Amino acid sequence: MAVVSSASTEVLVQHLINVCKEEYSLTRGLDGAAQQLKRTLGMIQAYLKDAEKKSITQDSVRSWLKELESVAFEADNVLDEHCYHLHHKTVHNMKSFKDKVLSCFSSFYVILHRRNMAHAIKQINAEFGSMNKTALDLGLQSMVVNAPAHTSIETDSFSLDPVFIGRDYDVSILVDMLTLTHRQERMLSILALVGMGGMGKTTLARKLFNHEKLKARFGSTTIWIHVSQTFDAISLFNKILDKLHKKSSDGVESGDDIVENSQEALWARVGSRYDIPGKIQEAPKARVESRENILEKLQKALKTKTYLLVLDDVWNDDVSKWEDFINSILGVTSTSGNVIIITTRSQRVASIVNPFHIHHLDGLSDEDCWSIIKAKTFVENGKVPSGLEMIGRKIAKRCQGLPLAANVIGAVLRGKSEDEWHSINEKWLSDDEGGENIKNILKLSYDYLSSPSLKKCFVYCSVFPKGYEIEKQELIEQWMAEGFLQPSQRDDMESVGNMFINVLVQNSLLQVVERDEYGNVWTCVMHALVHDLASYVLSNNGSTPTRYMFLQEELIAIPNETAKHLRTLIMDCETSGMKFSDFGRLHNLILPNGCKELPNSIRELMHLRNLDISYTEIAKLPKWIHKLHHLETLRACQELEKLPSTLKYMLNLRHLHIHSDTKLPAEIGRLTNLQTLPHFIVGKKKGYQIEELGSLKNLKGTLMIRNLEKVLDKEEALKANMFQKPNLLDLEFAWDDGIEDERNDESVLEGLQPHAYLKKLKILGFKGKRFPTWVKKMAVYNGPHGSSVPLDNLIDIRLSGCSEIEEIPTLEHLSNLKSLRLKKLKNVRYQNAVC
């Protein structure tokens, strides 16, 4: 609950700042109220940031947090409505003077709206102030301060793992890696075991730790440290020393310093309450040792020993902390052939430790899961009674390859009847049947996520059905619409969203299904048990009433009380008869297949930011579409013939996903926030010319420019400012075969010189005899007096239909080029070096 409320409050603070930037003083006396609101929100936000780090169990705190979330959402709606009216006013001012004159009540309307907003913000202030007072009166702040922090279960090297199935191959190859001769010649080798919670990393590490070959090599100098979320070098050194001292006390020869330290450690453990004859009654005060002394003792303890150190459950992703630790370890190490094994859930953590090998633990097969269940359930003879085999295999499939789940479910099934097996298969695991154990282990990854916004993004993914493949860009756009992605000074919302995707993947909370040709995540999916976790967090952390809904079944009547709170509605069912004005707070709306026209009631959705009609058969959009002033993303279907002329008023539009046959309206250049524009067809009339691209400096990804024969010359082409669009990675320049009075293809292409980071270049239908210098040399010039910069990021080049060209460009310096396609270059006489 704390996480959801905290993120909502952060959004509100940023939203208020944005409102004040657009119109600093809404009406007389409001500025003070707005500043007071900002201060109140800041105090509550700081409180919630502390709360999210703790395990809150008190009903009074949870109840207060739930109420706070409700107030926060209401405030968000009020402020968002105000922003909508500000945008409406901006669009109104853009229209003709005639339109303004016709709107005779506009001034009165603005004044009335400002008064309403003044009252609304003062009301929000009062509600938040009351919430703050309630927290103080109930002493909720002290409850949060005294609540325990999230912790993980400590591991050790001694616990038995009676069921070890499906990892024998992993053990074999890893032992071979660790005992190779050249490993023994290096001072230190690091092996990283990576996988999601419950995948068996600790169990595998324990198998390696106790393996006969590694025991023979390292003898008694094997050290197991459970690290968890606190990574402090001094603390780790002391733990290592403590383990070495214990081994020394078991008969291993040790120096005086070790014995002395052991006595101090004993006194510290015994404490002052024990009366030991002949000794001072009070235990000696703990001596704070310097780092130098600790490392000196560690160096003496290791002496000429070769060691195996396991750091289990590592979460630290601070490079400087790791380097500090490893440099010190190397400094006290005097032998070669030492090994450190780390286990972690995070790919990033695994990367920063600079291991010689990162070993990813994938899910087990359904057969292995069934074998674990049998071993745990039928302990005595391993025989499966008739009638249980089929249902048992179904249960094993539900484990989704997670050894933890198979072990837990195996213990639960022991001694159960066949009917109970069927019931468990249908209902899976309840909290009192072991589900709590799985959930708590997986929840550590969630608790460790760095920000409330990231946690909200993770929890949001539970809106999709289990096994649903989520397209990364669509997910980011939905997060953005919900207000989860707050931009920073360096990064825009989309960049923050992309970073969040990568963090969730690195922490095994999302799994990659497909990557694009650049190696970036394209689609992803949630493991079924991680999906259960996200659903649990959503249902228990305050998202009451329901705010996100995915409709798959036949359309049922959604109660008005539910509809009015929904912010995301994803539909995979019929929409006939649905009144969207009942869903007044929607931010995301994804319409289903079979919808042939945009329902008129959608025009009343003033909070809508993401409209996806890509699954529909809508061939025409109404002119009122521009009244969706907040809209940031529009995904169109292939059937859409053209976009309405009013699109130019949708100033907040950032992503316009359209197909190549969809016609753009005039003055697309007004949409200066656009990042996604797949194609632009050049026209001769004002508003359709290539200069419209000039103001679209934020374009990203792919852009195809067609009908370039309608561009007069280089000077006109330069108005597109292609060189100043560094985030366009895939460019296609296309000339139509149609005959124009005058064609200056060489001059035009020269004016379309792109930036140096380009990855894909396609030139189609070019009718010049020679390519301009930047194409011929595959290098661009940085300004009039700049030097030539090679296009060595290119991975794909396609030249097609350039029927008059006589020479192929120089390509030998393009070291990253993977694909070269040359087609219909019938006039080529000679070529430069081709890679």
Side-chain angles (χ1 to χ4, degrees), residues 362-379:
D362 297 321
L364 300 179
S365 65
D366 292 343
E367 187 65 33
D368 284 338
C369 287
W370 172 229
S371 296
I372 292 174
I373 291 171
K374 286 191 293 184
K376 294 283 286 188
T377 307
F378 310 107
V379 179

Side-chain angles (χ1 to χ4, degrees), residues 285-299:
K285 293 182 179 180
R287 188 174 70 188
V288 179
E289 290 189 274
S290 68
R291 181 190 184 97
E292 183 76 14
N293 288 340
I294 293 170
L295 288 174
E296 185 178 346
K297 288 184 177 183
L298 188 56
Q299 186 177 42

Side-chain angles (χ1 to χ4, degrees), residues 574-606:
E574 287 291 330
T575 62
S576 56
M578 201 163 191
K579 190 179 177 183
F580 286 98
S581 53
D582 293 338
F583 300 82
R585 294 172 181 174
L586 277 184
H587 285 56
N588 282 301
L589 177 59
I590 290 84
L591 294 176
N593 184 23
C595 186
K596 296 186 183 301
E597 62 179 31
L598 197 66
N600 195 56
S601 55
I602 288 177
R603 70 189 298 173
E604 298 181 41
L605 302 181
M606 66 170 62

Side-chain angles (χ1 to χ4, degrees), residues 545-561:
T546 302
R547 303 196 189 276
Y548 321 121
M549 186 176 288
F550 192 115
L551 288 178
Q552 284 183 294
E553 307 298 330
E554 289 186 14
L555 183 63
I556 55 174
I558 300 175
N560 285 341
E561 187 61 28

Side-chain angles (χ1 to χ4, degrees), residues 411-474:
V412 170
L413 291 171
R414 190 183 305 159
K416 295 279 197 301
S417 67
E418 184 176 342
D419 287 342
E420 288 173 309
W421 279 47
H422 281 284
S423 176
I424 288 172
N425 178 51
E426 291 172 5
K427 299 177 182 177
W428 193 226
L429 291 175
S430 62
D431 286 349
D432 57 353
E433 290 180 329
E436 183 77 18
N437 185 27
I438 296 174
K439 180 182 66 191
N440 286 340
I441 289 174
L442 294 178
K443 191 172 179 289
L444 285 173
S445 294
Y446 166 80
D447 291 334
Y448 194 70
L449 292 176
S450 59
S451 73
S453 295
L454 179 54
K455 289 178 177 178
K456 286 195 75 172
C457 288
F458 165 73
V459 169
Y460 178 87
C461 294
S462 65
V463 70
F464 302 101
K466 284 185 178 179
Y468 188 91
E469 290 190 13
I470 312 167
E471 187 180 322
K472 179 189 78 170
Q473 188 59 34
E474 291 183 18

Side-chain angles (χ1 to χ4, degrees), residues 194-195 314-315 317 344-351 506-508:
V194 186
V314 179
W315 296 79
D317 58 2
T344 181
R345 302 185 185 195
S346 169
Q347 174 66 35
R348 172 170 165 76
V349 171
S351 298
Q506 288 169 356
N507 286 279
S508 303

